[in-house]
Amino acid sequence: MSRVWQWNRPVTVREVLEDLQRERSIAYTTVMTVMDNLHQKGWVRREVDGRAYRYTAVSTRAAYAAALMNEAWSKSDNPAAALVAFFGMMSPTQRDALEDAVRMVRRDRPEVIPEAAPETTPESASESASEATREAAPEVPPEVPGEVPSEGADREHPAGR
């Protein structure tokens, strides 16, 4: 999936194979099987191109990551505490990205997050972010699972491919 997301265009098994072979030895049939598994699981769609298929990601990497975060957060017995703990783990760069994201949501959907007072505290930022997560969840196809079942040879997480 990493290659498909990175290239952001329809890709063939041959293209993915050639790129992977720069890092390690891998068989064409292995890549073909993994791409077929991703298609069967709904992660990619494919179109015939001559004698091959071209595979395209169904969802973006960002939407996938957001779905994973939302799934983990929704399983918490104390979502506010989980967010505060998560924000506490963030690097300064990640906190800046969070602030940028909250600003974008405010700009694009002001009804979702009311404008905060200038003295925004980390707790109020957590509350605003949690509202954004609930209200502005990205569109992710229902086929995109939170975890990939460990079936057959397809035991790796698809985001690492």
Side-chain angles (χ1 to χ4, degrees), residues 42-98:
W43 286 82
V44 294
R45 71 177 66 87
R46 66 185 179 192
E47 295 178 12
V48 176
D49 182 12
R51 292 179 34 189
Y53 286 113
R54 288 208 171 265
Y55 295 86
T56 308
V58 170
S59 181
T60 64
R61 184 188 300 254
Y64 172 74
L68 284 179
M69 289 186 287
N70 189 51
E71 180 183 348
W73 181 57
S74 68
K75 289 181 180 178
S76 173
D77 59 347
N78 187 341
L83 282 174
V84 170
F86 178 65
F87 296 151
M89 294 177 196
M90 289 180 156
S91 70
T93 303
Q94 291 170 321
R95 278 189 226 110
D96 289 344
L98 173 64

Side-chain angles (χ1 to χ4, degrees), residues 18-38:
E18 289 172 359
D19 193 52
L20 288 171
Q21 284 180 332
R22 293 179 200 179
E23 299 169 14
R24 61 189 167 115
S25 177
I26 189 167
Y28 180 91
T29 53
T30 302
V31 178
M32 183 174 62
T33 299
V34 170
M35 296 300 284
D36 185 60
N37 289 342
L38 291 170

Side-chain angles (χ1 to χ4, degrees), residues 86-87 90-107 113 115-116 118-126 128-129 132:
F86 178 65
F87 296 151
M90 289 180 156
S91 70
T93 303
Q94 291 170 321
R95 278 189 226 110
D96 289 344
L98 173 64
E99 290 173 10
D100 290 344
V102 170
R103 273 194 293 278
M104 286 190 297
V105 171
R106 281 186 182 140
R107 184 191 68 224
I113 301 176
E115 193 63 41
E119 310 86 38
T120 301
T121 64
E123 291 78 20
S124 65
S126 297
S128 296

